[in-house]
Amino acid sequence: MLSNVLEWPRPVKRLVVVVLDIAMGLFAMWLAFTLRLDTLHWPDEGMQWLAYVLAPALAFPIFVNLGLYRAIFRYTGINALITTGKAVAIYGALLFAILLAGKWNGIPRSVGVLQPVIFLLLVGASRS
């Protein structure tokens, strides 16, 4: 199985990583809501869906700008983790600022702190 994946063209590998990052961002958002609200969460209020859309919409361009999808296939170890940490820190600050400024009903501000931390753990573990 691993040898089959290694033979995939580079654009396919990148697409798989991007899709995985989007899925991890959405899962991290769900888990942040679930932990904060202390119950299994399903986004039912209108603005909660916006938080779910906001996560990958913010993370993807930041990851691309920092060269995360290019570098992840060439470098491993501490350099990849530092770049990932920088990307998630920028993303987390932006997400928190938007959630804080928006004051949307049904979205706790603490989700803006919890989600990036969970996201960093997921993305960092997937890169090592």
Side-chain angles (χ1 to χ4, degrees):
M1 170 80 177
L2 181 59
S3 63
N4 290 342
V5 172
L6 295 175
E7 294 172 5
W8 290 354
R10 187 174 296 228
V12 173
K13 291 177 193 174
R14 277 196 186 122
L15 179 63
V16 168
V17 173
V18 169
V19 169
L20 184 63
D21 283 351
I22 289 171
M24 286 188 291
L26 294 173
F27 176 72
M29 185 63 75
W30 174 82
L31 190 57
F33 269 105
T34 296
L35 290 172
R36 172 58 181 87
L37 300 175
D38 200 27
T39 184
L40 289 178
H41 179 259
W42 180 254
D44 54 2
E45 296 180 29
M47 296 312 277
Q48 289 179 351
W49 285 104
L50 182 61
Y52 281 87
V53 171
L54 196 58
L58 286 176
F60 179 72
I62 292 169
F63 280 27
V64 169
N65 263 351
L66 288 178
L68 196 60
Y69 295 122
R70 179 183 23 149
I72 200 65
F73 297 109
R74 293 186 185 162
Y75 309 107
T76 58
I78 195 71
N79 289 337
L81 289 177
I82 289 171
T83 304
T84 302
K86 285 179 187 177
V88 175
I90 294 167
Y91 157 75
L94 217 80
L95 177 69
F96 183 69
I98 290 171
L99 293 180
L100 195 61
K103 298 180 184 175
W104 294 311
N105 193 22
I107 302 177
R109 302 320 156 242
S110 57
V111 166
V113 174
L114 282 172
Q115 195 273 350
V117 170
I118 296 167
F119 189 45
L120 177 63
L121 292 172
L122 292 171
V123 172
S126 75
R127 300 292 199 266
S128 58

